[in-house]
Amino acid sequence: MKRILYTILTSVLLLATSCVDLDQEPKSFITEEEYIETPKDAASVARSVTGLYNNLWQENYGFNCRIMRINVLADDIVGSPTKSGNVLNYYTDLIPNLFANNDDFFVPWSCFYTTIINSNKIINGTPIPTGTENEAKAKELQSIVGEAYFLRGLCYFYIARLFGDAPLILDNSTVSVNQPRISVAELYEKAIVPSMKQAVAWLPEKSRTKTSASPTKWAAKACLADIYMTMAGWPLKKGTEYYALAATETEDIIKHSGLSLSKEYSDLWKEALKGNTNEHMFAMHHSAALKVPSQYGKSFYPVDFSPKAGWADYYGSEAFMLKYPEGKRKVWNYMLEWPISSTKTVNYKQSKDGLPAISKYYDYNEGAPANSPLSNGITPFYRYADVLLMYAEASNLATGTVNPLALKCIQEVQTRAGVATLTTTTDSKAFDTAVFAERGWEFVAEFKRWFDLVRREKLSEVKPEKYATSLFKANNHYYLPIPYTQIDMTGWANNAGY
């Protein structure tokens, strides 16, 4: 295998022989040899596809952990200010450090390309039979292989947004020693959009796992809308045409999917209800008992929490929290006071770190609060609230007008949040401001805020002092560095400033 893939394929082998399925259906250990080039039946393809979620999860150090760390670049979450040598401060200050934070770059790079490589094996190695007599078998295979297309497109989408120009690998046999990085525009044109369109065409309307652990046609449409909205903004800046495409995709979901908001915002984050599929469209499903945990156990609890201290990896930004609209959603998402002993409770201002805690994922505890770093729950990618707010934003920016459905969409989200005042303006600019803010409130600590700030070029607005001295302003981009191990192997020039 060519050297560009050495570390990636090493990760494939390690992950494939050490991880178990996120959804545990079917129970299996996927080895490299079991990614079958010419599968015998749909069941064998399904086993191979299930392994892709292991690749993305990467023993909790992949998507769940590292993407949350990177989101500290945004304005909704921060790290502990008292933790000695806290390297998350580089993100808070908008100066990512290639060497101090390298694992935060290497792990996502590795898990995304590992998933892509194994997706290619399934896509290119699964023959779809033709002819009317094989129609049912073909449709069954397509519905499973569609997951590989979805994950390949999703991974390239994250790569393009996080790292910019990157290698294009659609056929593993064509990789060369000096594999080039291709432009972001080409990644969208050749990998991201085509893969997600194929996923839309092949994925079923109901998930294979009967939960949000595997994507549906509607999840693929939501991701495709997200892709179009990103293409409309920075760095490609394709504008209104692509907002119109996003509006079309999300309107179709709204009118035909049968999805709906959960009655209570809190229900979305309860362990007993995480199998519900009315709102969660695609998510990683975690289980400490089955050894596929999330990071929610101690990371969000304060360092002085009693009786078990948290790791305080993440707090809420106080400035962001103070602007947050009052209501049931805010009550669920933030803990503003907590016990520091059996007899004393403090307000966050009197706590050791002086910051509000994010309580969004607390119901996922494995045992008592902050008892263990390993916990249950889900890592969300797309949910129906995302669809509603994408439609509201995209339809307005595509036409310069606020239509009744767009108003209804934001009001549904706000009503469920329990806020006192609903958005009623039909002024295009004021409505856009309201919708963008609502996305921040609704998806706090859900890995979305950084990408929203970048595509709309609003980082300078929400973190003006930090942005003024940031690496991003100095180098006129919003990309992270390519991991130095990859640079050493290939001899590429890294992104500017690193």
Side-chain angles (χ1 to χ4, degrees):
M1 182 56 66
K2 309 301 188 288
R3 64 179 180 175
I4 187 175
L5 299 182
Y6 278 2
T7 57
I8 298 171
L9 289 182
T10 297
S11 297
V12 172
L13 290 167
L14 290 173
L15 286 164
T17 57
S18 64
C19 292
V20 294
D21 301 352
L22 291 181
D23 56 29
Q24 291 296 302
E25 291 182 4
K27 295 181 175 66
S28 65
F29 292 84
I30 309 298
T31 67
E32 177 75 358
E33 292 74 21
E34 288 172 328
Y35 282 94
I36 303 169
E37 293 299 323
T38 53
K40 296 177 181 178
D41 51 34
S44 65
V45 181
R47 286 194 296 271
S48 295
V49 167
T50 299
L52 299 178
Y53 302 102
N54 295 339
N55 299 158
L56 194 58
W57 173 70
Q58 198 158 328
E59 296 186 332
N60 194 36
Y61 292 105
F63 191 89
N64 177 253
C65 174
R66 297 296 170 179
I67 304 300
M68 184 67 80
R69 289 173 61 85
I70 291 168
N71 196 67
V72 175
L73 288 163
D75 63 332
D76 58 338
I77 61 175
V78 296
S80 168
T82 64
K83 186 177 290 187
S84 177
N86 191 351
V87 295
L88 289 181
N89 291 337
Y90 289 112
Y91 294 143
T92 301
D93 293 338
L94 302 181
I95 48 172
N97 187 298
L98 177 58
F99 295 97
N101 298 110
N102 186 64
D103 282 352
D104 292 339
F105 317 133
F106 173 78
V107 174
W109 178 276
S110 175
C111 78
F112 290 141
Y113 269 109
T114 298
T115 307
I116 287 166
I117 288 166
N118 279 332
S119 294
N120 289 342
K121 292 179 181 180
I122 295 166
I123 291 166
N124 298 325
T126 305
I128 306 296
T130 58
T132 55
E133 71 278 10
N134 292 315
E135 188 174 332
K137 183 179 179 181
K139 186 174 182 179
E140 182 182 21
L141 283 170
Q142 287 172 344
S143 69
I144 303 169
V145 176
E147 293 182 44
Y149 276 107
F150 176 89
L151 289 172
R152 185 172 75 178
L154 183 73
C155 287
Y156 270 122
F157 186 34
Y158 276 96
I159 288 168
R161 290 183 294 175
L162 290 173
F163 301 107
D165 299 352
L168 177 67
I169 306 171
L170 299 178
D171 182 343
N172 299 345
S173 67
T174 64
V175 179
S176 65
V177 173
N178 297 314
Q179 182 82 11
R181 295 169 68 190
I182 70 168
S183 70
V184 168
E186 288 180 285
L187 288 174
Y188 278 99
E189 176 189 351
K190 297 177 179 179
I192 300 170
V193 172
S195 294
M196 203 54 61
K197 281 186 173 181
Q198 192 64 61
V200 170
W202 280 8
L203 283 172
E205 295 190 7
K206 301 293 183 181
S207 79
R208 172 174 64 91
T209 56
K210 298 180 176 57
T211 70
S212 59
S214 59
T216 63
K217 166 186 175 178
W218 307 115
K221 277 182 164 284
C223 186
L224 186 58
D226 195 8
I227 289 165
Y228 287 146
M229 292 179 72
T230 302
M231 294 175 75
W234 190 92
L236 300 183
K237 300 184 180 181
K238 290 183 175 289
T240 56
E241 176 187 356
Y242 278 77
Y243 284 124
L245 290 172
T248 297
E249 296 297 338
T250 48
E251 184 176 11
D252 185 37
I253 299 170
I254 292 166
K255 291 184 175 179
H256 302 115
S257 70
L259 296 169
S260 62
L261 295 180
S262 292
K263 183 178 179 180
E264 297 293 337
Y265 181 84
S266 58
D267 288 347
L268 291 163
W269 317 109
K270 292 181 178 177
E271 179 67 13
L273 301 176
K274 71 181 183 183
N276 292 353
T277 58
N278 61 292
E279 181 166 348
H280 281 298
M281 301 170 73
F282 177 59
M284 286 186 181
H285 285 230
H286 302 288
S287 167
L290 295 175
K291 302 186 186 305
V292 284
S294 71
Q295 66 165 338
Y296 303 130
K298 293 180 79 72
S299 288
F300 288 88
Y301 279 95
V303 69
D304 52 356
F305 186 83
S306 177
K308 296 288 184 72
W311 285 351
D313 289 326
Y314 311 108
Y315 287 101
S317 159
E318 183 181 36
F320 190 87
M321 184 276 294
L322 291 174
K323 295 177 184 176
Y324 202 103
E326 299 296 330
K328 294 182 293 183
R329 181 176 59 188
K330 183 176 183 178
V331 171
W332 180 265
N333 282 337
Y334 289 102
M335 180 171 67
L336 302 181
E337 60 180 27
W338 51 84
I340 59 172
S341 71
S342 59
T343 59
K344 186 176 182 180
T345 296
V346 297
N347 181 273
Y348 77 89
K349 287 181 177 292
Q350 285 76 52
S351 69
K352 181 176 180 180
D353 282 334
L355 291 166
I358 296 174
S359 54
K360 186 169 202 166
Y361 304 111
Y362 281 0
D363 193 69
Y364 294 151
N365 285 311
E366 178 69 2
N371 184 59
S372 169
L374 306 179
S375 64
N376 301 313
I378 60 175
T379 296
F381 283 81
Y382 292 104
R383 51 189 179 88
Y384 187 61
D386 209 353
V387 172
L388 295 176
L389 293 178
M390 282 196 289
Y391 176 79
E393 180 181 349
S395 63
N396 176 41
L397 293 177
T399 64
T401 59
V402 181
N403 66 46
L405 179 58
L407 263 179
K408 182 174 182 288
C409 285
I410 189 172
Q411 290 175 356
E412 278 191 40
V413 174
Q414 292 171 330
T415 298
R416 198 262 303 272
V419 301
T421 304
L422 304 183
T423 296
T424 58
T425 182
T426 55
D427 176 80
S428 177
K429 185 175 180 179
F431 183 77
D432 179 57
T433 298
V435 172
F436 190 85
E438 195 64 37
R439 283 188 61 82
W441 314 138
E442 179 71 15
F443 302 115
V444 62
E446 282 186 57
F447 320 103
K448 293 182 180 292
R449 182 66 171 175
W450 170 247
F451 297 121
D452 283 345
L453 292 173
V454 167
R455 68 181 175 82
R456 294 296 304 273
E457 297 183 88
K458 291 182 178 290
L459 189 59
S460 61
E461 296 177 20
V462 301
K463 298 178 79 169
E465 294 181 2
K466 298 293 186 184
Y467 182 74
T469 58
S470 71
L471 182 148
F472 302 116
K473 181 180 180 182
N475 294 280
N476 196 33
H477 68 72
Y478 297 96
Y479 295 129
L480 301 177
I482 304 297
Y484 66 75
T485 46
Q486 197 70 40
I487 295 295
D488 288 345
M489 283 194 297
T490 61
W492 296 333
N494 213 324
N495 291 329
Y498 299 110

